[in-house]
Amino acid sequence: MLNISMRQMRTLLAIQKHGKISAAARAMGLTSPAVTLQLQQLEQELGCQLFLRTKSGAQPTEIGAIETAYRMVNELTSLEETVRAHKGIAAGTIRLGVVSTGKYFAPRVIAAFTAVHPGISMTLVAANRAEIIQKLHDHDIDVALMGRPPTSFKVNATLFGDHPLVFIANPDHPLVGRLDISKEELTEQKFIVRERGSGTRSSLEFFMSDTLEGLRTTPTEMDSNETIKQAVIAGLGIAFISGHTIEQECRAGSLAILDVVETPIRRQWFSIRHASRTSTPALQALDDFLRLRGPSLLPVLSKPYPASPSQF
């Protein structure tokens, strides 16, 4: 029977996360020699090297100890929260990550959830899709709110609401007020788009892929929804964007939704956990809350949806 402590497991995860023993020690409030000793004792117990010491930092070997450490810490966290829940104490911590588009409604979700579960604390990280997927993979967050679930590793996904994608323009744009604008007409427009790899950019390219010539002008790339909205307001072109990012601007009359055929494109929002992340009472409470209350916390567009969700 291996004599391994949870402190050693947490030390292992801290070194993996921060890349260097000195940085892991600072994060844990320990000295570097103390962290080194923990690692040496663990390696001696296992009889193998867990990290390669390089000039750039500590690189995990292929032993698989990192995933085991995650599972052990997750199981202990789940046990602690289950015991507290059994005692009638609703508590826990959830590290929530959202893709850039989600930051427009995530604070609303957190406020409503913590009002129902005041003993559960939440932290929020917003980043682009690739970064959120990486954080989920590395267990730096517990839950991710995003569109298409990642396919590079196993996840558990919970659907909690529709996600409309629309074309927008400055209210003075000639297409505003027109009905049933065709895709062919859009090819003549100047477009402002998100960076390649973003979910919105991929949906736009798929949506326009069946036009004969595609976009006739080179689109201007911008790396944030806020920048794109300001560019459209300034009259620099039209854009394809999440309907959940433009609630305030549409109410204020600074942006208008174009009536393009087959839009809004109806995608969906998911709450996603790494498949190896053990569910806790706090995480289950969030899943249940999103199923029941999630749709009502999302911004609402006045333009009706197509009859069924799109697979774009």
Side-chain angles (χ1 to χ4, degrees):
M1 179 70 69
L2 293 174
N3 184 20
I4 296 174
S5 70
M6 291 305 299
R7 176 174 292 183
Q8 290 171 331
M9 292 291 96
R10 290 191 169 100
T11 297
L12 187 66
L13 295 181
I15 296 172
Q16 189 273 336
K17 179 178 181 179
H18 297 283
K20 293 184 178 180
I21 288 178
S22 57
R26 285 194 297 272
M28 299 179 72
L30 301 173
T31 64
S32 292
V35 171
T36 299
L37 179 61
Q38 292 272 359
L39 178 59
Q40 289 175 341
Q41 289 174 339
L42 182 56
E43 289 181 328
Q44 183 176 3
E45 179 68 23
L46 294 173
C48 62
Q49 188 174 7
L50 299 177
F51 286 95
L52 300 175
R53 282 69 158 180
T54 68
K55 291 183 178 180
S56 60
Q59 302 296 324
T61 60
E62 299 299 319
I63 301 302
I66 298 297
E67 282 300 319
T68 299
Y70 277 123
R71 287 196 295 271
M72 290 177 66
V73 171
N74 286 339
E75 289 289 348
L76 181 61
T77 300
S78 178
L79 175 61
E80 290 173 342
E81 293 188 10
T82 300
V83 170
R84 290 173 68 88
H86 182 72
K87 293 178 179 179
I89 305 171
T93 300
I94 298 174
R95 299 169 299 169
L96 183 67
V98 299
V99 293
S100 302
T101 302
K103 68 183 180 182
Y104 292 90
F105 64 83
R108 192 181 305 172
V109 170
I110 293 174
F113 177 73
T114 53
V116 178
H117 301 281
I120 299 176
S121 63
M122 299 186 75
T123 60
L124 177 64
V125 176
N128 65 36
R129 176 180 170 83
E131 291 170 328
I132 289 298
I133 289 175
Q134 189 63 49
K135 288 181 182 296
L136 191 67
H137 175 271
D138 294 342
H139 301 275
D140 288 336
I141 56 176
D142 300 310
V143 181
L145 304 185
M146 63 171 61
R148 293 172 293 112
T151 56
S152 54
F153 55 97
K154 292 183 179 179
V155 299
N156 296 318
T158 300
L159 170 66
F160 71 90
D162 289 336
H163 182 193
L165 299 173
V166 296
F167 290 91
I168 58 170
N170 179 288
D172 295 327
H173 193 281
L175 290 180
V176 172
R178 289 268 312 279
L179 298 179
D180 297 326
I181 301 166
S182 69
K183 296 180 185 181
E184 286 69 28
E185 289 178 276
L186 292 181
T187 63
E188 304 285 348
Q189 302 300 316
K190 293 180 179 179
F191 265 87
I192 303 162
V193 298
R194 284 292 300 271
E195 73 281 1
R196 289 192 180 277
S198 75
T200 307
R201 175 71 173 268
S202 298
S203 292
L204 171 64
E205 291 173 346
F206 192 94
F207 181 73
M208 298 295 292
S209 63
D210 59 352
T211 57
L212 293 177
E213 299 181 31
L215 301 182
R216 297 178 187 174
T217 59
T218 302
T220 301
E221 284 191 14
M222 296 188 179
D223 63 359
S224 75
N225 291 317
E226 284 303 313
T227 308
I228 288 176
K229 289 190 294 183
Q230 291 305 313
V232 174
I233 290 171
L236 297 181
I238 67 173
F240 183 70
I241 200 168
S242 165
H244 290 158
T245 68
I246 57 173
E247 181 181 24
Q248 298 302 321
E249 290 81 5
C250 287
R251 287 182 179 177
S254 56
L255 285 176
I257 298 175
L258 297 178
D259 188 71
V260 178
V261 294
E262 300 178 24
T263 69
I265 291 176
R266 184 181 169 192
R267 292 174 60 195
Q268 295 169 315
W269 283 110
F270 293 90
S271 168
I272 298 170
R273 284 188 288 110
H274 197 298
S276 67
R277 177 66 167 99
T278 304
S279 183
T280 66
L283 292 175
Q284 187 59 54
L286 179 61
D287 258 1
D288 294 341
F289 177 85
L290 287 172
R291 286 193 191 97
L292 294 174
R293 294 279 309 280
S296 68
L297 296 170
L298 296 171
V300 177
L301 291 179
S302 59
K303 192 172 188 288
Y305 290 113
S308 61
S310 168
Q311 300 302 313
F312 296 161

